[in-house]
Amino acid sequence: MRTIQLTVSLLIVFLFRSSMADTPSVDILPSGGLSKGSEGFGVLPKKKKEALKGHMIVSKERNPFAIRAKKEQMISGSDSLTEEAKIRSVLEKLHVSGVAKGDHGYKIQLGGVILAEGKKIPKLINEQTDDLIVTKITPSMVEITWVADEEADEPRQLTIAVDLKPKVGIVLPAPSNNGSPNPSQLVYLNEEDSETD
């Protein structure tokens, strides 16, 4: 029985080898094999650095994907503030001088401008491109939002507190850079200072 098994297995191996000898050999590599080089395999690590140099952005070019810290928004020179910073600076210098309630909610006088909820604020600086809208007015605060950011998760907003309490102030002489004849500055008495005296 063992002899028969051994004979059958040898016969199978013989038939298998003879059938393999009749089939032509197939080259699984493209013609020429590896003799062409490695160019067909894509960018190799040694050439990657050279390939990336062609796609580098020069420091003077605008990069829309750059992530800048807030400190980097300050640019040296005469135009040292961004438009948003200039607008915030102007709005923070204006004082609320009156509040009135009407049929359509509150209105507030901020500097020389009357603000109403849902209305746009007139341009505050030269060549201003951003539009501002009053989103909320209460007797104690005004909320101003940049129009382009209204639908954003965290829109750019500025809240101005309404403080109509009477204050005592004094006009003091102040240094002037523009050479005006009698420069002065209005200084208010702080509540903490009056309590300590």
Side-chain angles (χ1 to χ4, degrees):
M1 177 85 167
R2 187 158 172 92
T3 313
I4 296 173
Q5 288 177 347
L6 185 60
T7 308
V8 170
S9 61
L10 285 174
L11 184 62
I12 292 173
V13 169
F14 176 74
L15 290 174
F16 180 71
R17 282 196 172 192
S18 62
S19 66
M20 290 299 287
D22 295 340
T23 57
S25 63
V26 177
D27 189 10
I28 55 173
L29 293 174
S31 63
L34 291 175
S35 62
K36 273 189 169 181
S38 59
E39 287 82 22
F41 293 108
V43 180
L44 296 175
K46 291 179 182 177
K47 293 188 178 182
K48 191 173 196 176
K49 187 174 182 180
E50 295 157 11
L52 286 176
K53 285 182 183 177
H55 301 289
M56 298 292 267
I57 294 177
V58 182
S59 62
K60 294 180 182 178
E61 291 179 333
R62 184 175 174 270
N63 183 359
F65 304 105
I67 299 172
R68 293 181 176 86
K70 290 186 178 183
K71 291 179 183 175
E72 291 180 8
Q73 290 179 351
M74 305 299 275
I75 304 167
S76 62
S78 61
D79 193 19
S80 63
L81 297 174
T82 62
E83 183 175 349
E84 178 183 351
K86 288 178 183 177
I87 292 170
R88 285 182 185 272
S89 174
V90 169
L91 286 172
E92 289 170 353
K93 288 179 184 175
L94 297 175
H95 298 286
V96 176
S97 55
V99 179
K101 185 173 183 179
D103 295 337
H104 303 290
Y106 287 97
K107 289 187 178 183
I108 286 187
Q109 182 170 355
L110 182 66
V113 181
I114 295 177
L115 304 178
E117 195 169 325
K119 301 290 182 183
K120 282 188 179 179
I121 298 175
K123 304 289 184 188
L124 300 168
I125 59 174
N126 293 336
E127 301 177 7
Q128 178 179 333
T129 58
D130 290 340
D131 289 325
L132 305 167
I133 191 166
V134 180
T135 50
K136 187 177 183 182
I137 297 178
T138 65
S140 60
M141 56 81 83
V142 181
E143 186 179 88
I144 298 169
T145 306
W146 272 249
V147 172
D149 295 351
E150 285 180 309
E151 302 298 326
D153 292 337
E154 293 181 19
R156 292 179 290 172
Q157 292 181 333
L158 176 66
T159 304
I160 300 171
V162 175
D163 184 16
L164 296 176
K165 291 185 270 182
K167 296 179 183 177
V168 176
I170 186 169
V171 177
L172 296 175
S176 173
N177 292 340
N178 58 7
S180 58
N182 293 321
S184 60
Q185 179 180 4
L186 179 61
V187 178
Y188 291 105
L189 179 66
N190 292 334
E191 290 178 4
E192 296 106 13
D193 294 343
S194 62
E195 291 173 4
T196 56
D197 288 342

